[in-house]
Amino acid sequence: MIYLNDGHIRQLGADWPLLAGLIAQTTALLGTSETVQPLKPYLRFREPGNRIIAMPAFVGGETEMSGIKWIASFPGNTKLGLPRAHGSIVLNDPTTGAPVAFLCGGLLNELRTAAVSAAMLSAYFQLGRRERYRIGIIGWGPIGKRHYDMIATMFGEKVEGMKLFDIRGIDPASVGTGVRQTKATVCDSWQEVYRESDVIVTCTVSPTRYIDEPPVPGSLLVNVSLRDYEPKCVRGTQVIVDSWQEVCRENTDIEQLHLHEGLAEQDTMTFRDAIRGDRLCSLMPDVPIFFNPMGMAAFDIAVAAYYWREAVLKSVGVHLDA
C-alpha cells in the first residue's frame, strides 16, 4: 500500500475544475447501487465539543473504490496553535478488500469541501443572474482560505470583489498577491461582509449562532460550517442539502429550522438535483438559496481515490510493505 501525507498531496496539486467535475460525477451516482454510505456515527468522549466521525463508503463508476475516512474535529485545538481537524483515509480494493492506500492529514478534507462548493457555485453561476458577483467569506481558517483559492482560481472572471472577515483578524499577507489581492478586502465585521455579498461562504468554528439578519435577496449562502445562522433569518429560503438524513441532526442549522420553523425533507432540494438537470432554474430568483453540505463519505473516497491513482502514476508517496 501507499502512504500519502499533505506534502504528497501538495506535490500532486489541486486542479479545481477536475475536482469539481469529480464531485459532480460522484453526485450522479448517489441513490444508486453504485454508491453505499451508511449514516456516519459520531464518537464523543469527555469533552462534548470534540468529535471523531467515521465515514465509510463505496463508490463505483469510474472511481471504483471503497474505504473509510476517520476525521477528528477538536475546536479547542485552534487555541493551542493546532489544526482543528485531523483526518485519515484508508482505501480498500473493492474486489479483494486489500488496503491499497493510507492518506493522513487535513488537506484532502479541505480540497473535498471546497470542491463540493465549487460544484454548487458552477451550477449557481450558470443561472446567469448577474454578470459579476460579490463574494463574501466569513472565517479565515484552512477551509476559508481553500475556498478563497478555489473561487479566485476557478471563477475569477465572474468575481467583482471579495470581502473577508475572521473574528481573530486576518493578516493581509495571508490573502495573496497580484490579481487576487486587488479583489479582496479585509472587513472589520461579519455584517459588512454579509450585507454586501451575493455569495456568502461561512467557514467558521463559532460555538454559537451569530448571523441574525436576513440575507441579500437572490443570494447564495454556502453554509460550510453548518451552525452559523439563527433559524429566523433563513426562514423562507430555498434550501439545498446533500443528505437530509445526515444534515438534520447534530445541532445543525437545518435541524434548528426543522425543530423551530417546521422545515421538512420535502421542502428541500437535493444537491444531486441542484447540480444536474434544470431544477435549480425552477427556483425563485429573488429568494436566497441556502446550501447546507454535511459532507458525503462518497465524495471523500472519490477524491482520495483520484489522488491515490495520481500518486501511483507519478511515483509519489511512501510504499509500505506487508
Side-chain angles (χ1 to χ4, degrees):
M1 64 187 295
I2 295 178
Y3 168 79
L4 299 172
N5 59 24
D6 283 352
H8 298 127
I9 302 302
R10 278 190 289 270
Q11 185 179 345
L12 293 168
D15 183 332
W16 288 117
L18 185 149
L19 292 174
L22 179 59
I23 295 299
Q25 174 185 308
T26 306
T27 301
L29 301 177
L30 296 178
T32 75
S33 60
E34 290 299 292
T35 57
V36 180
Q37 48 180 8
L39 192 70
K40 51 193 177 187
Y42 286 66
L43 174 65
R44 286 191 169 90
F45 51 92
R46 295 179 178 162
E47 174 51 56
N50 298 334
R51 58 189 183 272
I52 308 180
I53 310 169
M55 301 171 63
F58 162 74
V59 182
E62 294 183 20
T63 292
E64 194 63 22
M65 185 58 66
S66 56
I68 185 168
K69 176 182 177 182
W70 179 241
I71 184 163
S73 178
F74 283 51
N77 280 0
T78 56
K79 297 178 182 178
L80 305 174
L82 298 172
R84 174 193 176 183
H86 296 275
S88 55
I89 296 176
V90 176
L91 297 179
N92 299 79
D93 184 305
T95 302
T96 66
V100 296
F102 176 64
L103 305 95
C104 185
L107 185 50
L108 275 183
N109 185 61
E110 298 170 25
L111 293 172
R112 182 270 296 165
T113 303
V116 170
S117 299
M120 185 69 239
L121 285 168
S122 293
Y124 178 71
F125 289 150
Q126 285 174 15
L127 295 175
R129 293 181 174 178
R130 297 170 178 82
E131 288 188 11
R132 293 164 71 82
Y133 298 80
R134 303 169 299 169
I135 309 295
I137 299 177
I138 302 175
W140 195 242
I143 299 294
K145 293 175 182 176
R146 199 64 59 188
H147 274 78
Y148 174 77
D149 178 68
M150 177 271 291
I151 293 170
T153 301
M154 193 168 171
F155 304 109
E157 75 285 352
K158 296 183 180 294
V159 175
E160 178 180 313
M162 290 203 224
K163 291 184 180 293
L164 315 173
F165 172 75
D166 192 291
I167 196 171
R168 297 163 296 186
I170 296 177
D171 180 358
S174 68
V175 176
T177 57
V179 175
R180 296 186 191 181
Q181 190 176 44
T182 61
K183 288 185 176 180
T185 302
V186 176
C187 299
D188 296 325
S189 68
W190 68 263
Q191 290 92 338
E192 182 180 354
V193 177
Y194 188 69
R195 294 167 184 168
E196 300 176 14
S197 298
D198 306 307
V199 175
I200 287 288
V201 186
T202 47
C203 306
T204 77
V205 292
S206 176
T208 58
R209 291 173 170 82
Y210 59 92
I211 297 179
D212 54 3
E213 301 180 8
V216 171
S219 58
L220 171 64
L221 313 177
V222 182
N223 190 21
V224 176
S225 38
L226 294 171
R227 300 169 181 88
D228 290 47
Y229 291 85
E230 292 284 352
K232 62 181 181 181
C233 71
V234 285
R235 178 197 306 130
T237 57
Q238 300 172 113
V239 178
I240 298 174
V241 298
D242 51 7
S243 167
W244 175 264
Q245 288 71 29
E246 287 285 8
V247 78
C248 190
R249 60 186 184 128
E250 293 293 326
N251 189 36
T252 63
D253 293 337
I254 293 299
E255 184 182 38
Q256 293 304 306
L257 277 172
H258 173 64
L259 294 175
H260 300 290
E261 303 293 340
L263 182 74
E265 182 176 5
Q266 59 265 29
D267 303 320
T268 68
M269 179 183 292
T270 67
F271 179 50
R272 183 177 189 268
D273 285 345
I275 67 172
R276 299 184 65 84
D278 58 359
R279 282 205 59 194
L280 202 62
C281 298
S282 69
L283 297 181
M284 293 176 285
D286 294 330
V287 179
I289 297 172
F290 191 33
F291 177 45
N292 288 260
M294 188 67 158
M296 300 285 92
F299 297 154
D300 290 289
I301 298 306
V303 170
Y306 162 74
Y307 276 100
W308 166 67
R309 291 190 170 100
E310 285 291 291
V312 172
L313 184 66
K314 297 177 181 178
S315 300
V316 172
V318 180
H319 286 263
L320 304 176
D321 295 326

